[in-house]
Amino acid sequence: MKDRLLIVFQSKHGYVKRYVDIIGNAVGCDAVPADKLRGEMLGCYDKILFMGSLRSGVISGLKKIAPYYDVIYKKLIVCGIGVTPFRDYMPARVKETSVSATYEKFVPVFYAQGGFDIKELSRIEKWAIGFRIKQLQASPVPNDDDAYFVEAAKTPVDEVKKENIMPLIDYLEGRPVDAKLYSPPEITDPEEEKRFFEEIAEATGDKKSKTTKAAKD
């Protein structure tokens, strides 16, 4: 039987939603905006994919599912959509900045380039972007991503296309994915999972650890 997939997403300017539609057409799924998510929905699915745009390196809207991490961490997949082209270090960086430290070892994380048009931003957002650009331009040695962002503020970028999200589609379909194209889960063995939560419980003095749950799941 095919896994049931729910995509939870936050899409302010439409780029993320277009990727949601691409994935839906490719693999079939249900989708719900993050602000419409209800906890009782999550138990009906085998995989939960969260997609959101990156804001200061953090996936917007991901906090909406934070209360449910302990229930869905083994079926959660995360994908951040950013302005700059894919670099092989980006999925790990997104995981580090966005996913709970307790559960990040269990969650696969992807990154795909989306789009950016400064005219779509609010006045405050434009001011913040302008300030950031001045900082970047003052840098004596800007990196490739910074230089790309500065140019994107001048000329709109729209790189939403299926090929950018194919590693994620392959993963959802159960096909092998090159580890350089995403940040794989580090813990998949039940015994290792059990030891991991036992160590957390020991370190924090929390006797109500995930050990019992891990043994049952």
Side-chain angles (χ1 to χ4, degrees), residues 66-192:
Y68 313 112
Y69 265 130
D70 62 338
V71 178
I72 66 171
Y73 68 96
K74 288 197 287 186
K75 57 183 180 180
L76 177 63
I77 304 160
V78 171
C79 181
I81 308 300
V83 177
T84 58
F86 175 88
R87 320 281 189 197
D88 57 11
Y89 59 80
M90 284 179 170
R93 177 179 291 179
V94 171
K95 177 181 286 190
E96 181 180 352
T97 58
S98 297
V99 181
S100 164
T102 302
Y103 299 108
E104 65 179 9
K105 291 182 180 295
F106 302 91
V107 179
V109 175
F110 292 76
Y111 172 88
Q113 185 179 18
F116 179 77
D117 186 343
I118 198 167
K119 294 192 298 292
E120 296 174 338
L121 306 183
S122 68
R123 181 178 300 178
I124 293 176
E125 288 173 323
K126 289 177 181 176
W127 179 87
I129 292 296
F131 182 76
R132 178 59 178 156
I133 288 173
K134 288 181 180 179
Q135 289 181 315
L136 296 177
Q137 290 174 330
S139 174
V141 187
N143 61 40
D144 290 343
D145 289 339
D146 290 344
Y148 188 94
F149 183 75
V150 170
E151 288 303 312
K154 301 175 184 176
T155 305
V157 172
D158 188 344
E159 291 294 328
V160 175
K161 47 193 173 186
K162 187 175 181 179
E163 65 187 73
N164 286 345
I165 212 77
M166 274 309 302
L168 175 55
I169 292 174
D170 286 339
Y171 187 90
L172 293 171
E173 291 279 73
R175 294 187 286 269
V177 179
D178 188 332
K180 293 180 180 179
L181 300 178
Y182 76 121
S183 181
E186 298 175 49
I187 298 177
T188 57
D189 178 73
E191 286 302 314
E192 187 178 0

